[in-house]
Amino acid sequence: MDVYEAVTSRRAVRGFIDRPVPREALERVLSAAAWAPSGSNLQPWHVYVLTGRPLGELKELAGGRVTARDPWDEREYEMYPPTLKSPYRERRSAFGAERYSALGIAHEDWEARQRAASANWKCFGAPAALFCYIDRGLGRPQWSALGMYLQTVMLLLRAEGLHSCPQMAWSVYRKTVAEVLSPPDDLILFCGMSIGFEDIAVPYTRTGRALLDETVTFVDD
């Protein structure tokens, strides 16, 4: 698989089959992803990989919170600005409409939307997941390095025939994740990522992208 195919075939998959992900594949991906860029080579990512019993424990604990309607944990970073201006507001709304429409869920059916969202805590059925942390003393440039690292991971997973779904949603269940992982106090959970083989029976709509001239300006003669 060439780089262009990896980029264009990568998407947030929200349905996985119960087929184990080879440990060797994960080690290859994460070893190669270490070459992702970061300012002054700080490599600010701290990654935990869960499979098998530990992942099952996490899913059970998170599911228990959903059943109990336990309030979310307070986020340690701002996921979105309180008010999104155009065109970001419209893009976010369009994504939500496409996502729930593919599942046959009406916009006004809040309970069904919540049930669909709760699949996050099951990792959408994935048999593997990683959780990416960053030292709370680092700044925005280092947070941007996490994005470059995680994108590198996701592209390498495609090369292995695997799919993924990055999930900032786990930030609101960070205390539950910490119960299983016991990370040092000086780390902040940025996101989780579900990893596995896609369940092609799960319906989806591929979200579109802005036209090139909406996001890119060429400055030349």
Side-chain angles (χ1 to χ4, degrees):
M1 180 180 293
D2 69 19
V3 177
Y4 280 90
E5 184 181 357
V7 170
T8 55
S9 66
R10 186 220 62 81
R11 61 185 180 82
V13 166
R14 294 179 174 85
F16 297 88
I17 60 174
D18 187 21
R19 175 182 168 188
V21 175
R23 168 74 174 263
E24 298 78 13
L26 294 174
E27 290 181 349
R28 281 193 298 271
V29 165
L30 297 172
S31 294
W35 291 98
S38 61
S40 297
N41 197 32
L42 294 189
Q43 304 170 68
W45 43 84
H46 296 262
V47 174
Y48 294 78
V49 180
L50 274 71
T51 59
R53 184 194 56 76
L55 181 57
E57 180 185 357
L58 176 60
K59 291 178 180 180
E60 184 175 349
L61 289 171
R65 289 188 63 174
V66 172
T67 300
R69 298 183 181 272
D70 192 26
W72 284 354
D73 300 331
E74 182 180 357
R75 284 195 176 100
E76 294 192 284
Y77 65 89
E78 189 174 74
M79 189 168 175
Y80 300 106
T83 302
L84 277 176
K85 65 179 183 180
S86 183
Y88 314 114
R89 180 179 62 252
E90 291 82 2
R91 290 173 185 167
R92 186 183 184 189
S93 295
F95 162 73
E98 291 172 355
R99 160 110 172 99
Y100 293 114
S101 176
L103 297 174
I105 298 174
H107 180 270
E108 64 277 6
D109 192 343
W110 179 249
E111 289 190 5
R113 290 163 69 95
Q114 288 295 95
R115 285 196 299 272
S118 70
N120 273 288
W121 321 127
K122 300 176 184 177
C123 294
F124 303 105
L130 69 75
F131 292 86
C132 185
Y133 286 79
I134 187 170
D135 192 298
R136 64 180 66 251
L138 296 178
R140 291 182 180 181
Q142 289 75 54
W143 282 75
S144 73
L146 292 191
M148 291 186 280
Y149 171 79
L150 293 167
Q151 171 76 338
T152 303
V153 169
M154 290 185 283
L155 296 182
L156 290 166
L157 288 170
R158 291 301 302 121
E160 295 282 351
L162 294 159
H163 273 287
S164 60
C165 183
Q167 299 164 266
M168 286 190 289
W170 278 106
S171 64
V172 299
Y173 272 15
R174 59 184 176 80
K175 293 180 181 179
T176 301
V177 177
E179 283 186 54
V180 178
L181 301 181
S182 300
D185 291 340
D186 58 355
L187 296 183
I188 292 175
L189 176 61
F190 172 49
C191 72
M193 181 187 295
S194 298
I195 299 170
F197 296 93
E198 181 184 9
D199 183 352
I200 60 174
V202 175
Y204 76 95
T205 297
R206 186 73 190 268
T207 53
R209 293 295 186 267
L211 297 175
L212 190 65
D213 62 7
E214 292 183 42
T215 60
V216 178
T217 301
F218 288 95
V219 181
D220 52 24
D221 293 337

